[in-house]
Amino acid sequence: MATIGVGWVLRLWQLAENPSLWLDELAVVRNIIHLPMATLLLSPLEYAQIAPVGFLAVGRILSSVIPDQEWVFRVVPFVSSLATLPVVYLVGRRLLGPFPALVAMGLIAFSPPMIGLGAVAKHYASDVFVAAALMYGGLKIIDGDADEPAALAWYGLFGGLLLFFSFTGVLVAFWLAAAVSASWLIRRPTGWARRILSLGVPLGTCAGIVTLIALRARSAETASFMAEYWETGYPGLAARAPQWLWSQLVGIYEVGFLTPYPWTGVAQSWPAVLLGLCLLGALALIAKQRRAAVIVLAPFLAAGLAAAGHLYPLVHRLGVFLTPSMALLTVAGSIALTDAARRAFGPVTRVMYAAPLMPVALALISSHPPFLVEHTRPLIRDVAQEWRPADAVYSFYAANQAMDYYGSRFGITDWVPGACARGEPREYWRQLDSLRGHPRVWVVFTHSLPRLGEAEAILGYLRTIGIERRAMLDQMDPLHTSAYLFDLSDPTRLERASADDYVFESGVEVDRPLRCGDEPASDWERPQASQ
């Protein structure tokens, strides 16, 4: 099918570009390559990371067989991203019909974020695939395609094995199994108890094992950090829950269908319109196909209740496992709207079913592959080509992971790691004061969050006390991935300011307290100590 083929080509294009590992990817990858297998799978990861054991195990095995190749860490997300397209089509065909299924699949096939996540060494793409695959299995079971206990046991086993590649899959599987079991309990078909056991035992066993491993692998520090970092992903007071839920789902439409990370933002009207169609589609589906609607809505129920219980936040890329359901319900809403227009105004072509594709197509045209986030590999390579043994290299604290991983590959083994000082730019200036007198000082940035203005504060100070000799901005992205060469040996310029008396007005306002703690950017050294 042409749509699947184009979707696969776009994902292969992204993978073939071999983008640099960005901060969170480096945090996971360095765990995979440094920790023993047992520690990797059964103990808390470094840098406040958690990842499904299947993803970690495959990455470790492949990187052992094929060392020093970054693409091996992207095999699971890439294969998951490819497999998602036909599975979404099959779900849509069963639910809505051939052409609407094609449209629903197109929403994911042409989505810039979904294309990008297919080549990101994290588990988000497998979350999407597992959710879609579980929904497909749930629909087949509830439609009676698998009635025999043996067939149900195989469904339960296959679905259970998928859970080793997705934490969110456990949540979705629970509610899908509950919906299927409730249907059998209500209808009481022949052998209903055996059916529940045949499906539930293998699925429940795998879900229990995955849950125990996840709890064992999540340290108290990681849990605390994640709860604080994703605090907007949990609902507030009950009176605010509807507004919160609407806001979160609009945000997931943006980061799931329209804007690849680092999300420079799109017109809020597009995500809101798509969400409106999604809600209309949910109502239409409940009215016409109640049992099928329960299956498609199960991920939403899982997400909402998990967030309410502070078990899993519903926010940003952590909610992309909802995209298969969102795509299907959005097209269902477009069908309902088109059919209503046909009844009210006369002939309206069914091509209008494809209207939701327009914003996704426009997003792909304006932001097409390859997506290069924190593309530090060529940047550090370029610095290394001009680096001299006597040069000093200062790494902004969020670039330490990249400098440690890529610097040694290009011959830069002696560099000054910056320390995190969020909200306290004077601490950065004090770190830089230790390099006064050097005629050649390289400063490497990445993952400098625009809202904090840290890179601007550092560069402002350096331009005051030194002379900017070189600026490598060809790799710059919204997170300020760049490098600069400064001369800090001019006595006259050095006398202009010190860290204690320099004044810099950034105009940046931080809307919530910030801290440096147990996170990828702050604790980059620990994997080396764990060898």
Side-chain angles (χ1 to χ4, degrees):
M1 188 180 294
T3 304
I4 290 179
V6 174
W8 284 359
V9 168
L10 290 170
R11 283 154 177 77
L12 184 60
W13 181 10
Q14 176 68 20
L15 182 72
E17 187 63 25
N18 193 24
S20 304
L21 297 168
W22 63 285
L23 179 61
D24 283 7
E25 289 180 283
L26 285 165
V28 173
V29 165
R30 295 179 73 222
N31 274 286
I32 291 175
I33 62 179
H34 285 293
L35 297 177
M37 180 69 89
T39 304
L40 179 68
L41 301 183
L42 300 176
S43 299
L45 300 179
E46 305 290 344
Y47 316 133
Q49 295 296 305
I50 55 173
V53 291
F55 171 83
L56 295 172
V58 171
R60 179 55 179 269
I61 293 169
L62 289 178
S63 62
S64 299
V65 176
I66 311 173
D68 298 323
Q69 294 294 323
E70 293 167 26
W71 63 266
V72 302
F73 303 110
R74 293 167 169 151
V75 166
V76 170
F78 179 68
V79 173
S80 297
S81 186
L82 297 183
T84 295
L85 302 187
V87 173
V88 169
Y89 176 78
L90 291 173
V91 175
R93 186 184 180 95
R94 185 174 281 267
L95 198 67
L96 305 172
F99 180 66
L102 194 63
V103 176
M105 181 181 66
L107 288 173
I108 293 178
F110 305 137
S111 157
M114 290 293 103
I115 294 168
L117 289 178
V120 169
K122 297 279 285 185
H123 54 86
Y124 305 122
S126 56
D127 287 344
V128 176
F129 166 68
V130 171
L134 290 173
M135 279 196 299
Y136 182 57
L139 284 175
K140 286 176 69 68
I141 292 172
I142 211 164
D143 287 343
D145 289 4
D147 283 336
E148 296 300 319
L152 289 169
W154 279 111
Y155 272 72
L157 179 60
F158 180 72
L161 293 177
L162 289 180
L163 303 185
F164 286 87
F165 293 87
S166 172
F167 292 131
T168 58
V170 176
L171 301 174
V172 175
F174 175 82
W175 292 108
L176 286 174
V180 170
S181 299
S183 174
W184 286 331
L185 284 170
I186 293 171
R187 293 186 292 114
R188 296 294 179 103
T190 303
W192 61 270
R194 288 185 62 193
R195 293 184 184 186
I196 292 176
L197 289 174
S198 298
L199 177 67
V201 169
L203 186 62
T205 300
C206 291
I209 293 172
V210 171
T211 301
L212 289 174
I213 292 174
L215 292 174
R216 180 183 177 89
R218 188 183 71 165
S219 67
E221 293 79 9
T222 297
S224 174
F225 169 74
M226 296 302 290
E228 179 179 337
Y229 189 76
W230 297 111
E231 63 182 355
T232 58
Y234 302 108
L237 298 175
R240 292 168 48 201
Q243 179 183 359
W244 169 86
L245 183 60
W246 172 270
S247 175
Q248 298 307 102
L249 293 179
V250 164
I252 293 172
Y253 262 106
E254 180 177 348
V255 305
F257 292 96
L258 301 175
T259 310
Y261 184 82
W263 315 316
T264 53
V266 297
Q268 287 294 307
S269 56
W270 281 125
V273 168
L274 292 174
L275 179 55
L277 287 174
C278 178
L279 296 178
L280 178 62
L283 294 175
L285 203 62
I286 290 171
K288 296 179 180 179
Q289 305 178 59
R290 186 165 299 173
R291 287 197 298 164
V294 171
I295 300 298
V296 179
L297 290 171
F300 289 97
L301 182 62
L305 292 178
H310 281 226
L311 298 175
Y312 190 86
L314 179 60
V315 63
H316 302 327
R317 61 186 181 272
L318 296 186
V320 295
F321 72 97
L322 296 175
T323 52
S325 289
M326 284 178 153
L328 293 162
L329 293 175
T330 299
V331 177
S334 182
I335 292 171
L337 198 61
T338 300
D339 291 349
R342 183 184 294 115
R343 290 192 296 270
F345 305 109
V348 176
T349 175
R350 290 192 176 186
V351 173
M352 292 301 295
Y353 291 172
L357 281 175
M358 183 175 67
V360 173
L362 291 175
L364 181 60
I365 292 170
S366 63
S367 181
H368 59 75
F371 306 110
L372 304 177
V373 179
E374 300 182 26
H375 201 30
T376 52
R377 186 197 312 110
L379 178 70
I380 295 174
R381 178 201 61 208
D382 292 348
V383 170
Q385 289 175 349
E386 299 188 26
W387 175 77
R388 302 172 186 173
D391 289 359
V393 180
Y394 172 85
S395 170
F396 176 65
Y397 81 97
N400 289 341
Q401 289 269 14
M403 279 301 303
D404 188 75
Y405 187 84
Y406 289 117
S408 60
R409 284 163 169 74
F410 296 116
I412 302 177
T413 56
D414 186 15
W415 48 280
V416 179
C420 179
R422 286 180 176 173
E424 297 291 340
R426 206 166 299 281
E427 293 301 318
Y428 292 124
W429 303 334
R430 292 192 178 104
Q431 295 171 30
L432 293 165
D433 274 351
S434 66
L435 301 174
R436 285 172 176 258
H438 284 269
R440 290 172 59 87
V441 177
W442 292 94
V443 181
V444 179
F445 289 100
T446 195
H447 206 79
S448 173
L449 305 182
R451 69 189 186 93
L452 301 182
E454 294 170 303
E456 290 75 10
I458 289 173
L459 291 173
Y461 184 61
L462 289 171
R463 287 165 180 157
T464 299
I465 65 171
I467 302 170
E468 184 177 326
R469 299 293 190 188
R470 184 86 161 84
M472 294 182 177
L473 303 177
D474 55 321
Q475 307 296 342
M476 190 171 179
D477 63 18
L479 296 182
H480 215 297
T481 302
S482 53
Y484 300 82
L485 175 62
F486 282 91
D487 180 350
L488 299 184
S489 64
D490 185 336
T492 302
R493 298 185 71 91
L494 290 171
E495 290 178 357
R496 289 182 177 180
S498 69
D500 294 326
D501 58 29
Y502 179 67
V503 177
F504 178 78
E505 296 294 337
S506 66
V508 174
E509 295 184 5
V510 179
D511 56 358
R512 64 186 178 92
L514 298 166
R515 68 179 178 89
C516 296
D518 189 13
E519 57 174 303
S522 297
D523 298 329
W524 61 274
E525 285 186 291
R526 284 192 288 172
Q528 294 183 327
S530 67
Q531 290 187 45

